[in-house]
Amino acid sequence: MNTERKDSHVASKKKPSSTHLSKTLFMKGLQCHKALYLEKYSPELKGELDANTQQRMAGGHEVGEYAHELFPGGIEVPYDGLDYSEQLEMTQNEIRKGTKTIYEAAFSFDGIFVKLDIINKTPKGWDIYEVKAANDVKDHYLNDLSLQYYVATKAGLPVRKAHLVHLNRAYIRKGKIDPEKLFIVEEMTSEVKENQAFIAENVGELKEMLVGAEPVIDIGKHCEEPYECGFQDHCRAHLPKKDSIFDLCGSKEIKFELYYEGFLGMDDLPLPRLEARQRFQVEAHLGKKQIINKTGVKDFLDSLSYPLCFFDFETFQLPIPPFNGTYPYQKIPFQYSLHIIERKGTRPKHYEYLAEPGKDPREEIAKRMYSEIPANACVLAYHKSFETGILTNLKGWFPKYAKKMDGIIDNMKDLQAPFAKRHVYHWKMQGSASLKTVLPALIPEMTYDGMEVSHGGEAQEAYFEMCSATDPAHIRKALFEYCKQDTLAMVKLLEKLYKMI
Ligand code: SF4
């Protein structure tokens, strides 16, 4: 047990100089004082945003544009080309002029600058709208909207009602996007008013914190809730690079409990306090073990038949449904890789598809699968619920292929099963049965390291990049290589299972 905490979360002596806040900074400070402090004074310590977060932010902008159509004809106070004071001035000018609807209206009070997505004038005061690119109202949105209300009212705007606007997951696109149906508007005025004391108190606390030394705050569940904190590498620098307590599978509660007692790595954990699957992982780790349940593996292999297909989809998700028949954040396939082994012992043949930039790929995918996957073939996927979900969507979009899709779903087997059920476990799998951990543990020569696209999030990002690139050839190549690697990895894993028995 290591009770020594290294320096990553020890307070620095650096003296701060600014207590100005924006809504984003305020929300960050509510999540963790240290995160706000670091964001203000040491932003260089932040890790890069992952592909999904970047995509979410880009999608959020488009959602905002569509939300403006709920109140057409408004005037926008732009971010670009105007500094803060010019944005404030423009907002006040528009209010004075009698403009009915203002998008991105800017207000400031007590050093807090906020932009309100939409403000709309009524005879009894202004209605404010905060737009979220999400399908549901999340708890922390109340604080977000409450801060907007707090600053706008303190700055002199007579607010009548406060609203959250979010996406409607039941909206199915038919032709042009219909903003009235795409969004759900929820009035939250009374909740926001009740929350004002909390906001005022926290504004005061955060400002006071920002003129002191860096807060000493240890990592915890707050690092991921409600947002993934970008300073985790910095705050976790005292943990072992490999086999840390957080590489354990299972319950976070137990992991944090042990961490706070001083356990940083996996080598000296009190086994009786762990969940069964965590104990299994630690025992395998300590003994550097590979565990094979031959009966379990054999039963799985006996359930397969030929022709045998290895199949993998890549998908993207967007808040604004891009095609007819799709809803917000529905997974849309844009690529697949397929290896087919006709008879046991024969070499696999490879088939693949990648959408052309800007084209709706769905029907082409259904059509090609129809012709390429043999009737009654046994189809292997890795974590098959993902693939069956997409097949079900394809069936709904194109009923003429429904029988084929049903056939594939019925004959689909999950190659993850023998690893998830621990029929095969290697200590390097670190308690996980995902392809990205199983493959390097069992077939180290087949690695994703160094590939331009190396996981699903990057594939989605590369697809969007490809769609806007003037010369997309190298991105297409990287996508083809990545997806092919996924099904080839499945072929090799199956060979490995046969060798094991
Ligand atoms: S990683 Fe956790 S402790 Fe560190 S700043 Fe972020 S939220 Fe705070």
Side-chain angles (χ1 to χ4, degrees):
M1 180 169 83
N2 183 352
T3 52
E4 294 245 320
R5 298 283 171 80
K6 301 227 174 83
D7 57 359
S8 72
H9 52 285
V10 172
S12 82
K13 298 279 178 279
K14 181 158 41 170
K15 271 290 158 197
S17 57
S18 163
T19 60
H20 287 281
L21 293 173
S22 63
K23 188 187 72 175
T24 307
L25 288 173
F26 175 80
M27 293 302 288
K28 198 174 278 277
L30 276 193
Q31 178 168 346
C32 171
H33 283 195
K34 183 178 173 184
L36 169 59
Y37 195 98
L38 292 175
E39 185 73 41
K40 276 274 199 186
Y41 306 121
S42 308
E44 72 284 358
L45 298 175
K46 197 161 54 171
E48 275 186 19
L49 293 178
D50 65 40
N52 288 341
T53 310
Q54 288 181 32
Q55 190 50 47
R56 238 188 352 258
M57 286 166 73
H61 184 72
E62 198 189 0
V63 170
E65 303 266 295
Y66 275 106
H68 291 173
E69 293 180 25
L70 292 171
F71 301 92
I75 298 288
E76 179 162 357
V77 180
Y79 281 95
D80 294 338
L82 297 182
D83 65 21
Y84 289 163
S85 60
E86 288 166 335
Q87 292 178 47
L88 292 167
E89 198 185 320
M90 180 174 169
T91 304
Q92 289 307 318
N93 283 341
E94 292 303 327
I95 290 173
R96 271 194 296 273
K97 272 188 336 200
T99 302
K100 188 172 182 323
T101 303
I102 306 174
Y103 312 132
E104 309 301 337
F107 295 93
S108 170
F109 172 72
D110 193 20
I112 312 168
F113 177 86
V114 295
K115 296 272 279 178
L116 274 63
D117 291 323
I118 302 167
I119 64 171
N120 191 54
K121 195 175 177 185
T122 75
K124 292 188 176 165
W126 290 80
D127 287 352
I128 66 172
Y129 298 84
E130 168 72 8
V131 181
K132 293 292 177 197
N135 282 341
D136 308 292
V137 175
K138 303 194 170 63
D139 288 348
H140 58 278
Y141 292 169
L142 174 61
N143 289 330
D144 201 318
L145 180 61
S146 299
L147 182 77
Q148 309 276 47
Y149 180 94
Y150 175 81
V151 175
T153 51
K154 296 280 184 195
L157 188 78
V159 177
R160 184 184 70 139
K161 288 181 181 175
H163 307 83
L164 266 180
V165 180
H166 63 90
L167 295 163
N168 173 11
R169 68 166 75 247
Y171 171 70
I172 308 272
R173 180 171 186 161
K174 284 187 199 116
K176 201 170 165 285
I177 290 287
D178 179 350
E180 294 288 341
K181 293 184 179 148
L182 173 66
F183 292 108
I184 293 177
V185 179
E186 305 214 15
E187 199 210 319
M188 300 184 72
T189 317
S190 54
E191 294 94 323
V192 160
K193 283 184 175 169
E194 274 170 30
N195 207 25
Q196 290 304 290
F198 172 83
I199 297 294
E201 190 185 319
N202 277 280
V203 165
E205 264 183 32
L206 293 179
K207 282 172 168 280
E208 206 179 308
M209 179 275 293
L210 284 170
V211 295
E214 182 184 318
V216 179
I217 296 176
D218 205 349
I219 54 170
K221 286 203 281 180
H222 63 275
C223 300
E224 287 160 15
E225 293 160 11
Y227 301 106
E228 187 85 31
C229 178
F231 293 103
Q232 298 209 52
D233 286 350
H234 169 69
C235 291
R236 287 173 174 241
H238 58 295
L239 292 169
K241 292 276 168 285
K242 282 176 102 180
D243 305 319
S244 94
I245 176 97
F246 296 105
D247 290 320
L248 263 185
C249 61
S251 141
K252 276 189 192 166
E253 277 70 22
I254 296 176
K255 289 188 259 188
F256 274 113
E257 202 179 290
L258 291 167
Y259 166 74
Y260 292 135
E261 289 174 27
F263 294 98
L264 303 187
M266 255 191 252
D267 288 343
D268 49 6
L269 292 173
L271 292 179
R273 287 174 58 190
L274 301 180
E275 291 171 352
R277 58 190 167 150
Q278 292 174 330
R279 248 190 338 265
F280 178 91
Q281 181 188 351
V282 173
E283 281 169 352
H285 163 79
L286 293 175
K288 303 283 178 268
K289 284 185 204 165
Q290 173 163 279
I291 294 146
I292 300 171
N293 165 1
K294 288 194 179 186
T295 313
V297 175
K298 186 171 181 310
D299 287 348
F300 173 75
L301 294 175
D302 286 348
S303 73
L304 308 181
S305 58
Y306 291 81
L308 184 57
C309 299
F310 303 76
F311 191 84
D312 182 58
F313 278 125
E314 297 303 329
T315 61
F316 67 83
Q317 288 174 277
L318 286 170
I320 304 296
F323 309 123
N324 281 341
T326 60
Y327 56 79
Y329 290 112
Q330 187 167 22
K331 289 188 177 80
I332 296 174
F334 64 87
Q335 181 177 17
Y336 69 75
S337 172
L338 167 67
H339 277 90
I340 303 178
I341 300 179
E342 290 293 341
R343 292 180 310 285
K344 198 169 176 187
T346 58
R347 287 173 68 83
K349 279 192 196 149
H350 185 238
Y351 302 82
E352 60 193 350
Y353 171 79
L354 173 59
E356 290 298 327
K359 276 182 75 175
D360 179 350
R362 296 171 299 160
E363 185 157 12
E364 183 68 13
I365 283 183
K367 208 157 95 183
R368 282 178 180 245
M369 290 179 72
Y370 182 86
S371 62
E372 289 172 359
I373 297 182
N376 299 321
C378 178
V379 182
L380 270 178
Y382 205 96
H383 190 61
K384 75 172 187 174
S385 60
F386 179 81
E387 266 69 27
T388 53
I390 308 299
L391 289 163
T392 306
N393 286 341
L394 284 170
K395 208 171 85 167
W397 289 321
F398 308 107
K400 66 179 168 182
Y401 298 111
K403 205 167 154 215
K404 178 74 179 185
M405 299 303 153
D406 277 337
I408 298 173
I409 292 171
D410 290 347
N411 291 327
M412 191 167 268
K413 303 273 193 264
D414 199 338
L415 183 56
Q416 191 178 42
F419 306 104
K421 290 178 183 166
R422 305 283 195 247
H423 295 327
V424 176
Y425 184 77
H426 189 288
W427 65 277
K428 286 188 178 168
M429 284 160 55
Q430 295 197 311
S432 161
S434 87
L435 186 59
K436 303 297 184 285
T437 54
V438 170
L439 189 68
L442 296 182
I443 311 175
E445 63 279 14
M446 259 198 104
T447 172
Y448 288 81
D449 291 352
M451 292 181 77
E452 197 171 331
V453 176
S454 61
H455 59 75
E458 282 181 359
Q460 165 169 296
E461 191 189 14
Y463 169 73
F464 291 131
E465 216 182 298
M466 180 186 86
C467 289
S468 57
T470 40
D471 180 13
H474 84 277
I475 309 175
R476 285 185 75 78
K477 185 167 170 277
L479 278 166
F480 276 129
E481 277 170 7
Y482 166 67
C483 200
K484 182 178 180 184
Q485 171 91 342
D486 273 353
T487 50
L488 190 60
M490 288 161 62
V491 172
K492 298 292 175 196
L493 279 176
L494 191 74
E495 285 172 7
K496 191 92 185 171
L497 291 181
Y498 275 116
K499 279 186 195 148
M500 285 174 181
I501 60 159

